[in-house]
Amino acid sequence: MPGTYVNIFNDAERDEELRDILYVASYTGENGMSYAASLIYPLIGSATWELLCETNPPAMNDLLSTGIGGSAIGEVTHRTSDIFFDNSKTGANRVVREIIGTALNPIRGLQRILSGDMWHVSPYRGKRISPEPYTFEVGTGVRHMTTRGGLSHGMTVPFVNFTFNYGDRFDTSESHPYDHFRVNLLANLSDQHPTVGELDIVGRIANKELECSNDWNIDLGLYQLLKYIDHYGEDGVQEAGEYSIISEAVSFGAGIYAERHTDTYSLSNDFIASAIAFGGSTSDYFTHRRYNYGSGFSLRNNLTLALNRRITLGNQTYFMRLFTPKGLTPEEMGHKEENNIPTNTWGDLGCNSVMTSNTYLRINLFQQIKLDLSYSLYHRHSNYKYHPSVQAKSYEYKIGLTYSI
C-alpha cells in the first residue's frame, strides 16, 4: 500500500547521506582539501554517529554507503553549485542563482551569508573552481514496465528525467578528480512507486589521454561510481521474482573511452569495469529488507552513434554480480524472529547477477527539443545456499521529450 514501503534510502539513511554530502562540500570547497583527503571526513562522521549516537549496533550500510556514496554526491553538488554562484549578477537572476546554489551546497550558502557575499555585487564573479563546459537536459514522458513483455500487461508511470554532463573529457590542461562527471536522475511522478527510480553518477578521478591516428580520441580513466535502481510491483509492493533492485554504493573502477567524429557521423564507446566494495540487490527470502548486501563487481558499456546531428542510436549495457557472504540459516532466522533478537546479517547467503540492456533512439525535432524512445530489458539470476534459485525478467518501454540547455 502507498506509504508503507521500505526503501533502500530510508529516512534515517537519507539524513546521514545529506550529512556526508555536507562534509564533502565543506572540506573540498570551503577548507580547500583535496578529494582524497575529504573522503576521510564522511567516514569519520558516519563512524562517530554510528558508535556514539545510535542505539542500534553499527550498520555497515551506514558506515560505507552513506560515507562513500555521500562523497560522490557531495563532489557533484559542490562543483554544480559553483556554476550558479556569481557575484557579478543582479536582480531576479542573482536571487535565483543564490537559492539554487545554496540548495545544492548549504555550507557555502551559509558562508556567503556570514561573509556578505550573497548580496555583494562586484566584477569579480567569486568562482572557486575554474569554469568547465557543461550540458544539462530535462525530459518528461511515460515508462511502461512489465514482467510479461508487450504493452497489454504491466504498469505505466509518468516520469521526469535530469541528465547533467560536466567538464571536457579531452581538456589538455591538468586534470583533477571530478573535473569530468555525468549524472542521470529519474524521478517517478506517482505515489505508487519510489520517487527516485534511477540515479547514476560516474565521476572521473584521474585519466590519461592517448594520441591516435584516424580521427580517434581515446581516454583511459579511473572512476568513482554510484548506481541505484528501484522498482515496485504492479500492486505497489516489491515481491520475489519481480522487478530488480540495484545499489552500487561503494564502487571504484577503470575504463576506456573512445570517440571518432566525421562530417556525417559521430561514434563513441565508453566501457568501465569496477570493483564493488559494498552494494545491494533484490532479496527473495530475507524478511527484514527488500534487498541483500554484498560485494562484487560490475561492467558497463555505452555505445552511441549520432548521424548528421539529427538521429542518435545507442545501447547501454550493465552487468553486476554481488556475493552475500554473511547470512543465517532459516532455523537461525526463525529463532531470532520468535525471540525478537536483533538480526545483524547481510541477507540471504548466496550470489546475485543482474544484467540490464537499454537500446534507445533519439530524434532532434528542433534545436533544443528531442524525441526519446527506448526499450530496456532487466534479467536477474539469484543463487542461494539455503533457498531455491530465482530467475526473473522485466521489460520497460519509454517515450518522452527532452529539452537541452
Side-chain angles (χ1 to χ4, degrees):
M1 275 27 64
T4 62
Y5 309 130
V6 179
N7 202 327
I8 290 181
F9 294 132
N10 58 41
D11 291 339
E13 289 174 0
R14 276 195 296 266
D15 292 342
E16 294 178 15
E17 192 108 10
L18 175 60
R19 181 197 63 228
D20 294 325
I21 292 169
L22 298 181
Y23 278 139
V24 173
S26 173
Y27 286 102
T28 55
E30 313 318 315
N31 291 321
M33 287 191 174
S34 67
Y35 163 75
S38 69
L39 282 178
I40 300 173
Y41 288 91
L43 291 175
I44 294 176
S46 292
T48 301
W49 179 266
E50 289 294 311
L51 295 172
L52 302 180
C53 301
E54 288 275 13
T55 57
N56 297 320
M60 186 67 69
N61 184 34
D62 295 336
L63 288 171
L64 293 180
S65 66
T66 60
I68 304 300
S71 72
I73 302 175
E75 284 288 340
V76 168
T77 56
H78 163 60
R79 286 182 172 269
T80 306
S81 69
D82 197 67
I83 296 173
F84 293 94
F85 289 127
D86 190 336
N87 295 340
S88 66
K89 302 298 182 180
T90 60
N93 185 299
R94 175 67 175 270
V95 172
V96 172
R97 285 174 172 271
E98 294 291 341
I99 292 174
I100 296 176
T102 300
L104 291 169
N105 190 346
I107 296 295
R108 186 171 176 187
L110 177 61
Q111 187 271 337
R112 288 178 64 82
I113 292 175
L114 296 177
S115 66
D117 287 343
M118 183 167 283
W119 42 82
H120 178 66
V121 179
S122 72
Y124 173 64
R125 301 178 65 190
K127 298 295 182 180
R128 298 283 179 85
I129 304 170
S130 298
E132 295 281 358
Y134 63 88
T135 60
F136 178 72
E137 297 179 339
V138 57
T140 186
V142 293
R143 53 197 304 231
H144 181 82
M145 295 169 285
T146 177
T147 57
R148 305 182 189 181
L151 300 176
S152 58
H153 301 278
M155 49 193 174
T156 302
V157 183
F159 71 88
V160 60
N161 193 84
F162 304 94
T163 303
F164 184 56
N165 289 282
Y166 179 88
D168 182 357
R169 183 186 289 272
F170 293 101
D171 187 356
T172 56
S173 61
E174 182 181 0
S175 64
H176 299 89
Y178 278 83
D179 60 3
H180 172 72
F181 64 80
R182 62 180 181 270
V183 180
N184 184 72
L185 171 66
L186 183 145
N188 293 305
L189 303 178
S190 169
D191 60 0
Q192 296 289 319
H193 297 275
T195 302
V196 179
E198 297 179 16
L199 173 63
D200 193 17
I201 297 177
V202 179
R204 191 179 67 183
I205 301 173
N207 77 303
K208 173 65 176 178
E209 297 178 22
L210 300 183
E211 296 183 2
C212 300
S213 57
N214 301 323
D215 300 321
W216 282 97
N217 297 315
I218 296 180
D219 179 57
L220 304 178
L222 298 177
Y223 297 91
Q224 180 180 5
L225 306 106
L226 187 152
K227 189 176 184 69
Y228 168 70
I229 295 178
D230 195 10
H231 301 97
Y232 294 143
E234 297 176 20
D235 55 357
V237 296
Q238 176 78 31
E239 299 290 349
E242 284 193 338
Y243 301 93
S244 297
I245 297 174
I246 296 174
S247 176
E248 187 175 348
V250 183
S251 178
F252 295 87
I256 179 172
Y257 174 86
E259 68 175 19
R260 185 185 186 190
H261 299 283
T262 70
D263 294 335
T264 57
Y265 72 88
S266 296
L267 178 65
S268 67
N269 193 79
D270 192 6
F271 173 79
I272 301 176
S274 66
I276 304 174
F278 193 79
S281 58
T282 306
S283 170
D284 296 289
Y285 303 101
F286 192 56
T287 58
H288 292 268
R289 289 190 307 270
R290 297 168 47 234
Y291 50 96
N292 297 314
Y293 296 145
S295 300
F297 67 91
S298 71
L299 306 172
R300 61 182 72 198
N301 193 77
N302 184 8
L303 175 64
T304 304
L305 173 64
L307 302 173
N308 294 319
R309 299 181 180 180
R310 297 288 299 176
I311 297 177
T312 301
L313 299 168
N315 177 266
Q316 296 173 329
T317 302
Y318 176 83
F319 176 81
M320 179 181 74
R321 187 169 180 85
L322 286 185
F323 301 88
T324 302
K326 183 180 179 182
L328 301 175
T329 65
E331 293 76 17
E332 292 172 330
M333 182 64 70
H335 173 73
K336 287 180 175 289
E337 291 178 348
E338 291 176 5
N339 295 276
N340 294 320
I341 301 174
T343 302
N344 185 17
T345 183
W346 284 32
D348 298 318
L349 192 64
C351 64
N352 194 332
S353 298
V354 182
M355 189 276 292
T356 71
S357 178
N358 172 39
T359 301
Y360 59 91
L361 168 66
R362 165 170 284 189
I363 302 173
N364 291 355
L365 301 179
F366 305 100
Q367 183 176 3
Q368 294 176 288
I369 299 178
K370 287 98 174 172
L371 172 66
D372 289 322
L373 305 169
S374 70
Y375 165 76
S376 299
L377 167 67
Y378 298 84
H379 182 243
R380 177 173 65 91
H381 188 109
S382 301
N383 293 312
Y384 300 106
K385 183 174 182 179
Y386 302 116
H387 304 283
S389 298
V390 175
Q391 292 193 57
K393 284 185 179 181
S394 60
Y395 312 86
E396 176 179 307
Y397 306 87
K398 188 186 300 180
I399 182 171
L401 293 175
T402 297
Y403 180 77
S404 300
I405 300 176

